[in-house]
Amino acid sequence: MKILICYFSGTGNTKRVVDEYVSCLTELGESTELYNIELGGEISPTQYDMLGIAYPIWAFNAPGIVLDFVKRLKKVEAPIPAFILKTSGEALALNNASSDKLKSLLKKKGFTLTNEYHYLMPYNIIFRHTDGMAHRMWTAVKWAVPADCRAVVERRKQIIKSIPFGRPITAVLRVQQWGGRFNGKRYKVTDECVHCGRCVKACPVHNIIDENGKLKFGKKCLMCMRCAFECPKDAIRIGWFDGWRVNGAYHFDKPYEDGENAVGVDKKHVDYCRKSYEKYFETCKEKAASLETGDEQKQA
């Protein structure tokens, strides 16, 4: 098959998962192309046998930039299979409903949803996961993706069930999409800023300008956190949500050690969503085991 995966990634987590998909799909003999949604423009989905949409979950929703992209797609005459990949920092049930609006838009455009998967990756806002937890999350992705890719290729239907009243709840929470623009005007830099220009170049909507040596933030902010997360001097303050600011790339190669005095465990957040994390990790491990034994059908 010829597969197109259209993705948006704020600080690289979703892109990391997408790259793992490309690797696994290539091993399965499939031809896969990537399209970065933030580049704008239009695509012709009829040139492909399958469409993938990948995004980070924001406020329990797909980002507005992703929804707008799907709205611009031309309606296809013959149904084209589609699958959804989404990432977030926790396995809360409300995340199941994050794609409800996206599913509706894909259906209106003539696509048939066959598969949907949710992967945990470390936060770029709220608080900083430890590198040990990031390693654990990435290990789980590598366990799950090969089995999920095979299900996508074989069109074994695997769709995440939404929760009761999920659509109205997430509809209310989409206030983040305009609220982010409002808050974005309140971004500012500290005296630590060295005017390296990294944030200006990185912003997916060109919302930051350097005017006569002074950084200015416009009203198009997505709150993707890329500017603050990647700032080499941690000099960007993110308005009302600065207490949730996370800065600096994660290192995914540092193993997690459990226990009260273990390295890689943040004592402040050690019990945060602990049960749901453990359940998720176990599910991913079971997917890897099922692929090895040929029982992946049972995981559907």
Side-chain angles (χ1 to χ4, degrees):
M1 288 189 295
K2 192 175 181 182
I3 302 172
L4 176 67
I5 301 179
C6 302
Y7 71 93
F8 175 74
S9 187
T11 55
N13 283 338
T14 302
K15 178 58 162 55
R16 192 178 181 94
V17 173
V18 166
D19 286 342
E20 189 69 12
Y21 259 77
V22 172
S23 176
C24 290
L25 289 170
T26 300
E27 287 185 12
L28 292 172
E30 308 299 338
S31 173
T32 309
E33 295 181 17
L34 297 182
Y35 184 84
N36 187 349
I37 288 173
E38 71 183 66
L39 298 179
E42 296 183 358
I43 63 167
S44 177
T46 55
Q47 299 177 16
Y48 301 91
D49 302 303
M50 184 174 284
L51 175 71
I53 303 290
Y55 68 89
I57 299 172
W58 293 353
F60 302 105
N61 275 281
I65 191 173
V66 175
L67 299 177
D68 289 342
F69 168 77
V70 176
K71 289 175 183 177
R72 294 196 304 270
L73 290 177
K74 293 181 179 180
K75 186 173 181 178
V76 296
E77 298 299 326
I80 295 177
F83 60 96
I84 293 173
L85 315 175
K86 51 190 182 182
T87 63
S88 77
E90 77 293 302
L92 297 177
L94 189 51
N95 283 316
N96 294 1
S98 68
S99 51
D100 284 357
K101 178 66 174 179
L102 177 59
K103 291 176 184 177
S104 176
L105 291 173
L106 287 171
K107 185 177 181 180
K108 288 179 180 179
K109 295 293 182 176
F111 295 92
T112 301
L113 186 67
T114 61
N115 300 73
E116 178 187 10
Y117 302 104
H118 176 202
Y119 303 101
L120 299 190
M121 293 291 278
Y123 280 142
N124 63 10
I125 189 173
I126 302 180
F127 69 82
R128 184 179 183 84
H129 282 104
T130 63
D131 285 342
M133 179 57 84
H135 170 80
R136 199 175 184 194
M137 289 176 169
W138 181 239
T139 299
V141 169
K142 292 178 75 68
W143 281 337
V145 167
D148 293 343
C149 277
R150 187 172 292 277
V152 167
V153 169
E154 295 175 357
R155 301 187 188 181
R156 281 186 279 115
K157 195 169 185 178
Q158 296 179 354
I159 298 175
I160 299 172
K161 186 178 181 180
S162 188
I163 63 171
F165 307 108
R167 178 164 291 193
I169 294 172
T170 56
V172 171
L173 293 173
R174 278 199 291 278
V175 68
Q176 180 269 344
Q177 294 176 9
W178 67 263
R181 293 193 289 272
F182 191 68
N183 180 67
K185 287 283 291 181
R186 284 149 180 79
Y187 279 32
K188 60 184 179 180
V189 295
T190 68
D191 292 339
E192 298 298 317
C193 176
V194 293
H195 296 277
C196 64
R198 186 168 179 171
C199 59
V200 176
K201 295 176 182 177
C203 180
V205 290
H206 311 291
N207 190 55
I208 310 171
I209 60 172
D210 192 333
E211 190 174 275
N212 299 321
K214 184 178 181 179
L215 285 183
K216 292 186 176 182
F217 297 84
K219 56 184 179 180
K220 298 183 292 183
C221 182
L222 302 176
M223 284 194 67
C224 71
M225 298 299 122
R226 191 182 298 173
C227 60
F229 185 81
E230 296 183 356
C231 178
K233 297 295 183 180
D234 190 17
I236 297 177
R237 299 295 176 261
I238 59 172
W240 293 325
F241 301 96
D242 197 57
W244 287 358
R245 187 179 76 259
V246 174
N247 173 259
Y250 286 98
H251 301 282
F252 291 88
D253 58 351
K254 295 184 178 180
Y256 179 90
E257 299 178 47
D258 207 347
E260 187 176 344
N261 299 311
V263 175
V265 178
D266 189 328
K267 305 304 185 298
K268 293 183 298 182
H269 306 122
V270 69
D271 292 322
Y272 177 77
C273 293
R274 190 182 184 101
K275 289 184 179 179
S276 62
Y277 281 144
E278 294 301 333
K279 182 178 179 180
Y280 166 77
F281 294 140
E282 186 60 31
T283 298
C284 290
K285 195 171 184 178
E286 289 173 358
K287 283 186 177 183
S290 70
L291 190 60
E292 290 180 5
T293 59
D295 293 332
E296 63 266 27
Q297 291 275 1
K298 296 179 182 180
Q299 294 294 317

